Amino acid sequence: MSKKMLVAYFSASGVTAKAAWKLSEAAGADLYEIKPEIPYSREDLDWMDKKSRSSMEMNDPASRPVIAGKMEDMEQYEVVFVGFPIWWYVAPKIINTFLESYDFSGKTIVTFATSGGSGMGNTNDKLAPSCPGAILLEGKMLNGVVTQAELKAWVESL
Ligand SMILES: Cc1cc2nc3c(=O)[nH]c(=O)nc-3n(C[C@H](O)[C@H](O)[C@H](O)COP(=O)(O)O)c2cc1C
C-alpha cells in the first residue's frame, strides 16, 4: 500500500506501544502516541476495583478522557491504524476521545489491540459513532509474537 499511513496508539503499560512500533516499521508508517493528559497510575488501572478510574470511565458512556496535545497535520494520512489495550472487552474511552478530535471522514481506520486473552469483540461497533464517514476496518489482535512478515502481509492485504 503506497498510501500515507499513521499508526496512532494508546498504551497504559507498554505492551501496545511495542506492537505499534513493530507495525509502524512493517508498514513504513509514522507513529503517534495518544497520551492521556493525566497518566494512568497502577491504582487507576485496577479492574478489580469498581471505583478505580478505569472502571468508572468504562462504565460511563459519556466519559472522554482528555488527550495531551494534538496532531497538527492529520489531513495528510489516508490510512490510520489505531491501537489500544482491550479494556473490558472493548477499546479504552480515550480512543473515542481521539477519534472525535479529528475529521476522519473518507479515511480508512484500522484498529489493532493487545489483551490478556480476549479478542476484538464488538470493539469497532463502540468506536464507529466516534468516526462518522470513516471506513472502519475489522481490527486485528497483535498479542504475542507477530513477525514483520506477517505484519507486512496484513498491511498489504488491506
Ligand atoms: C482496566 C483494564 C481492563 C482490562 N480488560 C481486559 C479484558 O477485558 N480482556 C483482556 O483480555 N484483557 C484485559 N486487560 C488486559 C490488557 O488488555 C492487556 O494487559 C494489554 O496488553 C495491556 O496493554 P498496554 O500495556 O498497552 O496498556 C485489561 C487491563 C486493564 C488495565
Side-chain angles (χ1 to χ4, degrees):
M1 196 185 269
S2 59
K3 292 176 176 167
K4 185 104 173 127
M5 294 186 271
L6 175 72
V7 173
Y9 70 94
F10 163 66
S11 181
S13 57
V15 180
T16 310
K18 269 189 205 149
W21 182 80
K22 278 194 200 169
L23 177 59
S24 74
E25 288 286 297
D30 294 341
L31 192 60
Y32 169 70
E33 181 178 2
I34 300 164
K35 283 195 190 125
E37 191 167 85
I38 304 163
Y40 289 84
S41 68
R42 184 181 283 261
E43 293 73 35
D44 289 342
L45 297 173
D46 185 356
W47 63 81
M48 309 281 276
D49 177 1
K50 286 198 173 95
K51 294 265 182 310
S52 75
R53 177 181 169 197
S54 57
S55 298
M56 304 278 274
E57 286 176 0
M58 296 311 283
N59 277 323
D60 176 5
S63 165
R64 293 292 183 272
V66 177
I67 294 170
K70 200 174 171 189
M71 261 204 108
E72 296 274 311
D73 44 4
M74 192 61 89
E75 302 78 32
Q76 65 180 309
Y77 299 105
E78 287 175 79
V79 178
V80 180
F81 291 89
V82 179
F84 43 82
I86 296 289
W87 282 7
W88 294 104
Y89 308 102
V90 293
K93 288 285 162 59
I94 197 167
I95 299 301
N96 294 83
T97 312
F98 173 75
L99 293 175
E100 289 166 16
S101 301
Y102 304 90
D103 179 7
F104 287 112
S105 58
K107 296 182 189 290
T108 300
I109 293 176
V110 193
T111 49
F112 67 95
T114 70
S115 77
S118 47
M120 289 297 265
N122 62 351
T123 298
N124 276 11
D125 296 344
K126 298 269 185 199
L127 297 178
S130 294
C131 52
I135 303 152
L136 184 58
L137 297 187
E138 179 70 36
K140 193 176 174 72
M141 297 304 299
L142 296 182
N143 284 335
V145 185
V146 185
T147 65
Q148 289 300 92
E150 278 175 78
L151 290 173
K152 277 197 175 129
W154 178 46
V155 172
E156 275 158 26
S157 75
L158 294 171

